[in-house]
PDB file of all heavy atoms in Angstrom:
ATOM      1  N   GLU A 233     -35.256  -3.470  54.800  1.00 96.00           N
ATOM      2  CA  GLU A 233     -34.750  -2.537  55.814  1.00 96.00           C
ATOM      3  C   GLU A 233     -35.650  -2.519  57.048  1.00 96.00           C
ATOM      4  O   GLU A 233     -35.279  -1.965  58.073  1.00 96.00           O
ATOM      5  CB  GLU A 233     -34.680  -1.099  55.267  1.00 96.00           C
ATOM      6  CG  GLU A 233     -33.793  -0.900  54.054  1.00 96.00           C
ATOM      7  CD  GLU A 233     -34.642  -0.694  52.804  1.00 96.00           C
ATOM      8  OE1 GLU A 233     -35.038  -1.728  52.210  1.00 96.00           O
ATOM      9  OE2 GLU A 233     -34.907   0.452  52.434  1.00 96.00           O
ATOM     10  N   LYS A 305     -33.231  -7.677  38.808  1.00 98.00           N
ATOM     11  CA  LYS A 305     -32.355  -7.435  39.959  1.00 98.00           C
ATOM     12  C   LYS A 305     -31.718  -8.754  40.356  1.00 98.00           C
ATOM     13  O   LYS A 305     -32.403  -9.725  40.703  1.00 98.00           O
ATOM     14  CB  LYS A 305     -33.179  -6.863  41.116  1.00 98.00           C
ATOM     15  CG  LYS A 305     -32.372  -6.678  42.388  1.00 98.00           C
ATOM     16  CD  LYS A 305     -33.182  -5.969  43.453  1.00 98.00           C
ATOM     17  CE  LYS A 305     -32.411  -5.892  44.756  1.00 98.00           C
ATOM     18  NZ  LYS A 305     -33.192  -5.230  45.815  1.00 98.00           N
ATOM     19  N   PHE A 314     -24.212  -1.699  50.886  1.00 95.00           N
ATOM     20  CA  PHE A 314     -25.578  -1.186  51.109  1.00 95.00           C
ATOM     21  C   PHE A 314     -26.199  -1.848  52.335  1.00 95.00           C
ATOM     22  O   PHE A 314     -26.865  -1.198  53.131  1.00 95.00           O
ATOM     23  CB  PHE A 314     -26.451  -1.465  49.881  1.00 95.00           C
ATOM     24  CG  PHE A 314     -27.912  -1.120  50.069  1.00 95.00           C
ATOM     25  CD1 PHE A 314     -28.407   0.094  49.633  1.00 95.00           C
ATOM     26  CD2 PHE A 314     -28.796  -2.021  50.669  1.00 95.00           C
ATOM     27  CE1 PHE A 314     -29.756   0.412  49.794  1.00 95.00           C
ATOM     28  CE2 PHE A 314     -30.140  -1.711  50.836  1.00 95.00           C
ATOM     29  CZ  PHE A 314     -30.616  -0.489  50.388  1.00 95.00           C
ATOM     30  N   ARG A 315     -25.961  -3.139  52.467  1.00 92.00           N
ATOM     31  CA  ARG A 315     -26.614  -3.842  53.578  1.00 92.00           C
ATOM     32  C   ARG A 315     -26.050  -3.398  54.912  1.00 92.00           C
ATOM     33  O   ARG A 315     -26.742  -3.421  55.915  1.00 92.00           O
ATOM     34  CB  ARG A 315     -26.502  -5.351  53.378  1.00 92.00           C
ATOM     35  CG  ARG A 315     -27.371  -5.769  52.204  1.00 92.00           C
ATOM     36  CD  ARG A 315     -27.359  -7.251  51.925  1.00 92.00           C
ATOM     37  NE  ARG A 315     -28.049  -7.519  50.669  1.00 92.00           N
ATOM     38  CZ  ARG A 315     -28.053  -8.693  50.067  1.00 92.00           C
ATOM     39  NH1 ARG A 315     -27.405  -9.717  50.611  1.00 92.00           N
ATOM     40  NH2 ARG A 315     -28.695  -8.837  48.929  1.00 92.00           N
ATOM     41  N   ARG A 327     -30.669 -14.160  49.447  1.00 94.00           N
ATOM     42  CA  ARG A 327     -31.804 -13.720  48.643  1.00 94.00           C
ATOM     43  C   ARG A 327     -31.918 -14.481  47.310  1.00 94.00           C
ATOM     44  O   ARG A 327     -32.636 -14.054  46.409  1.00 94.00           O
ATOM     45  CB  ARG A 327     -31.687 -12.231  48.340  1.00 94.00           C
ATOM     46  CG  ARG A 327     -31.532 -11.323  49.545  1.00 94.00           C
ATOM     47  CD  ARG A 327     -32.137  -9.962  49.279  1.00 94.00           C
ATOM     48  NE  ARG A 327     -31.637  -8.893  50.126  1.00 94.00           N
ATOM     49  CZ  ARG A 327     -31.883  -8.771  51.435  1.00 94.00           C
ATOM     50  NH1 ARG A 327     -32.592  -9.683  52.052  1.00 94.00           N
ATOM     51  NH2 ARG A 327     -31.387  -7.741  52.106  1.00 94.00           N
ATOM     52  N   GLN A 331     -34.160 -13.031  44.257  1.00 97.00           N
ATOM     53  CA  GLN A 331     -33.403 -12.236  43.287  1.00 97.00           C
ATOM     54  C   GLN A 331     -32.824 -13.172  42.217  1.00 97.00           C
ATOM     55  O   GLN A 331     -32.715 -14.372  42.413  1.00 97.00           O
ATOM     56  CB  GLN A 331     -32.291 -11.464  44.002  1.00 97.00           C
ATOM     57  CG  GLN A 331     -32.862 -10.478  45.025  1.00 97.00           C
ATOM     58  CD  GLN A 331     -31.797  -9.693  45.758  1.00 97.00           C
ATOM     59  OE1 GLN A 331     -30.615 -10.018  45.695  1.00 97.00           O
ATOM     60  NE2 GLN A 331     -32.216  -8.657  46.474  1.00 97.00           N
ATOM     61  N   LYS A 358     -30.019  -4.184  37.542  1.00 98.00           N
ATOM     62  CA  LYS A 358     -29.238  -3.935  38.750  1.00 98.00           C
ATOM     63  C   LYS A 358     -28.513  -5.191  39.171  1.00 98.00           C
ATOM     64  O   LYS A 358     -29.165  -6.232  39.232  1.00 98.00           O
ATOM     65  CB  LYS A 358     -30.190  -3.470  39.858  1.00 98.00           C
ATOM     66  CG  LYS A 358     -29.542  -3.300  41.202  1.00 98.00           C
ATOM     67  CD  LYS A 358     -30.578  -3.020  42.252  1.00 98.00           C
ATOM     68  CE  LYS A 358     -29.872  -2.966  43.587  1.00 98.00           C
ATOM     69  NZ  LYS A 358     -30.772  -2.922  44.680  1.00 98.00           N
ATOM     70  N   SER A 384     -23.838  -0.172  45.500  1.00 98.00           N
ATOM     71  CA  SER A 384     -22.897   0.189  46.564  1.00 98.00           C
ATOM     72  C   SER A 384     -21.512  -0.443  46.390  1.00 98.00           C
ATOM     73  O   SER A 384     -20.499   0.232  46.561  1.00 98.00           O
ATOM     74  CB  SER A 384     -23.497  -0.200  47.918  1.00 98.00           C
ATOM     75  OG  SER A 384     -23.807  -1.583  47.955  1.00 98.00           O
ATOM     76  N   TYR A 423     -24.275   6.595  43.561  1.00 98.00           N
ATOM     77  CA  TYR A 423     -23.777   7.357  44.715  1.00 98.00           C
ATOM     78  C   TYR A 423     -22.759   8.401  44.265  1.00 98.00           C
ATOM     79  O   TYR A 423     -22.372   9.264  45.035  1.00 98.00           O
ATOM     80  CB  TYR A 423     -23.168   6.392  45.734  1.00 98.00           C
ATOM     81  CG  TYR A 423     -24.157   5.332  46.162  1.00 98.00           C
ATOM     82  CD1 TYR A 423     -24.148   4.058  45.571  1.00 98.00           C
ATOM     83  CD2 TYR A 423     -25.150   5.617  47.092  1.00 98.00           C
ATOM     84  CE1 TYR A 423     -25.093   3.099  45.923  1.00 98.00           C
ATOM     85  CE2 TYR A 423     -26.094   4.674  47.451  1.00 98.00           C
ATOM     86  CZ  TYR A 423     -26.061   3.415  46.856  1.00 98.00           C
ATOM     87  OH  TYR A 423     -27.008   2.478  47.196  1.00 98.00           O
TER      88      TYR A 423
HETATM   89  C1  LIG B 664     -33.613  -3.625  48.594  1.00 85.86           C
HETATM   90  C2  LIG B 664     -32.477  -2.943  47.926  1.00 85.86           C
HETATM   91  C3  LIG B 664     -31.133  -3.291  47.974  1.00 85.86           C
HETATM   92  C4  LIG B 664     -30.444  -2.356  47.191  1.00 85.86           C
HETATM   93  C5  LIG B 664     -31.389  -1.459  46.713  1.00 85.86           C
HETATM   94  N1  LIG B 664     -32.647  -1.855  47.166  1.00 85.86           N
HETATM   95  C6  LIG B 664     -30.430  -4.332  48.745  1.00 85.86           C
HETATM   96  C7  LIG B 664     -30.635  -5.751  48.522  1.00 85.86           C
HETATM   97  O1  LIG B 664     -31.371  -6.197  47.654  1.00 85.86           O
HETATM   98  O2  LIG B 664     -30.034  -6.485  49.299  1.00 85.86           O
HETATM   99  C8  LIG B 664     -28.968  -2.364  46.942  1.00 85.86           C
HETATM  100  C9  LIG B 664     -28.405  -1.088  46.471  1.00 85.86           C
HETATM  101  C10 LIG B 664     -26.924  -1.013  46.530  1.00 85.86           C
HETATM  102  O3  LIG B 664     -26.211  -2.001  46.778  1.00 85.86           O
HETATM  103  O4  LIG B 664     -26.436   0.087  46.306  1.00 85.86           O
HETATM  104  N2  LIG B 664     -34.309  -2.769  49.434  1.00 85.86           N
END
Side-chain angles (χ1 to χ4, degrees):
E233 300 107 275
K305 176 174 175 181
F314 173 96
R315 291 181 189 171
R327 305 210 201 290
Q331 298 180 347
K358 175 187 176 190
S384 57
Y423 304 98

